[in-house]
Amino acid sequence: MELRHLRCFVVLAEELHFTRAAERLHIDQSPLSRAIRELEDELGTLLFDRDRRGTRLTQAGTVFLQDVRRVFTTLDQARENVKAVSAGYRGSLRIAVSDGAIDPRFSEFLTRCREEEPEIEVRLSEVSFSEQLRGLRSGDFSIGFAHTNSVGSGIVAEAIWHTPIVAALPARHPLLVHKEVPLDELTRFPLIMVAPQMCEGYFRELTKLLHAQVHEPNVIEHATSLDVMLTLVAAGYGIGFSSFARVATCRHPNIVIRPLAVGSAVITTFLLRPDSEHPCFLLGKD
């Protein structure tokens, strides 16, 4: 089994079209077909179903694709490690961030990394929460940061930072009569949430908080980002939510930030790591 076979397989699995896959690989369809056939012969199973309706991965092909992607991820890491060593570093810390779990304390953490371990290369990746969990289990990431501790087996979640959840309200909204917005009243109005696929862990925790109220929350929109959510709030479409750390600098004239009148309205940042390892740096808690 050669790397060229695996590259051909991955590209075809992504395109599910021989012509497009061959174009991406800058080869003709004939050598692509031959490479896939040789790979299937060596594995003793079909990786693709081919018929008049097109090309589809078999169940074996789907499983194989996950494993092959891990192989290429490992190769990429090996390449990066060699470059880091040749550049004078003696190791690397691979950090994954999900749910927008970045505030001023995270910048301070990165500063400490540089000051205390200057010979360690720090690589930062912003990924989905699901991808972070997969990467921590496979060794692609050393540590991670997220807004939930629902991580399953094999990963340790340690609470390190806490920040209040606040409401972002349109200017002149009736709830602005409150200095702290009652959550049960807030759920009577149209709400705008950030899409779960963008901030999966944060979405889980906020959903738990809202569904604990008497009234079922009236979520009218799932915004694709915090900026989109704030834009919709400013336009008067509904009420949004964020952590205080993320919107503390918001100065939009049509948005007013209010704390929530409930002590449990707090979002926690968790440090995630494989349970067989220990983080390379100590983080200050509050």
Side-chain angles (χ1 to χ4, degrees):
M1 188 181 303
E2 300 179 15
L3 284 178
R4 65 179 180 87
H5 290 111
L6 300 182
R7 289 193 181 94
C8 289
F9 166 73
V10 170
V11 172
L12 182 58
E14 292 173 348
E15 296 292 343
L16 294 178
H17 192 282
F18 275 85
T19 300
R20 291 196 299 267
E23 289 174 352
R24 273 185 58 184
L25 292 163
H26 304 292
I27 61 176
D28 293 330
Q29 288 189 51
S30 178
L32 172 59
S33 298
R34 184 166 58 251
I36 298 300
R37 185 169 59 252
E38 291 171 354
L39 185 59
E40 290 177 329
D41 289 344
E42 182 171 352
L43 294 172
T45 187
L46 291 177
L47 300 174
F48 296 94
D49 282 327
R50 312 164 182 83
D51 55 32
R52 293 180 179 179
R53 292 177 295 176
T55 302
R56 300 179 305 280
L57 278 168
T58 62
Q59 184 175 0
T62 300
V63 172
F64 190 59
L65 177 61
Q66 297 174 355
D67 292 333
V68 172
R69 281 177 169 160
R70 280 195 289 267
V71 169
F72 281 114
T73 297
T74 301
L75 289 174
D76 288 340
Q77 289 177 358
R79 187 181 299 112
E80 291 173 358
N81 288 339
V82 168
K83 290 180 180 178
V85 171
S86 65
Y89 296 105
R90 59 180 176 83
S92 63
L93 180 68
R94 301 180 302 278
I95 304 173
V97 179
S98 303
D99 304 333
I102 295 178
D103 67 13
R105 288 165 292 193
F106 187 79
S107 299
E108 293 170 6
F109 161 67
L110 294 178
T111 299
R112 288 184 60 188
C113 289
R114 294 184 62 186
E115 292 175 348
E116 298 180 11
E117 297 287 348
E119 296 181 354
I120 299 293
E121 182 189 34
V122 176
R123 295 203 296 270
L124 183 65
S125 301
E126 189 168 13
V127 298
S128 69
F129 181 63
S130 299
E131 187 177 350
Q132 180 179 151
L133 294 183
R134 287 195 297 269
L136 288 168
R137 290 192 172 96
S138 66
D140 294 344
F141 301 123
S142 309
I143 59 174
F145 293 83
H147 283 319
T148 179
N149 61 351
S150 300
V151 295
S153 61
I155 296 176
V156 174
E158 180 182 1
I160 54 171
W161 299 320
H162 308 277
T163 188
I165 298 175
V166 295
L169 297 99
R172 299 179 296 278
H173 193 281
L175 286 180
L176 290 176
V177 297
H178 302 282
K179 291 184 178 180
E180 294 185 343
V181 181
L183 202 55
D184 57 343
E185 290 190 32
L186 185 148
T187 53
R188 298 173 183 269
F189 292 87
L191 306 178
I192 302 169
M193 304 270 281
V194 176
Q197 62 268 29
M198 305 302 296
C199 294
E200 183 178 344
Y202 171 76
F203 182 85
R204 290 185 191 178
E205 300 307 308
L206 183 56
T207 299
K208 289 179 186 177
L209 182 67
L210 294 177
H211 282 279
Q213 306 309 305
V214 175
H215 301 284
E216 187 71 14
N218 177 25
V219 179
I220 63 166
E221 185 70 47
H222 288 94
T224 55
S225 69
L226 176 64
D227 288 338
V228 172
M229 183 267 287
L230 292 176
T231 298
L232 293 173
V233 170
Y237 281 78
I239 300 170
F241 299 91
S242 183
S243 67
F244 177 77
R246 296 202 70 190
V247 297
T249 59
C250 178
R251 295 290 184 270
H252 199 293
N254 295 323
I255 295 178
V256 179
I257 304 300
R258 281 282 195 273
L260 301 177
V262 55
S264 59
V266 174
I267 194 71
T268 301
T269 300
F270 292 90
L271 169 68
L272 309 184
R273 60 180 174 83
D275 62 5
S276 60
E277 299 180 9
H278 298 281
C280 298
F281 302 95
L282 296 176
L283 304 181
K285 300 180 186 178
D286 57 9

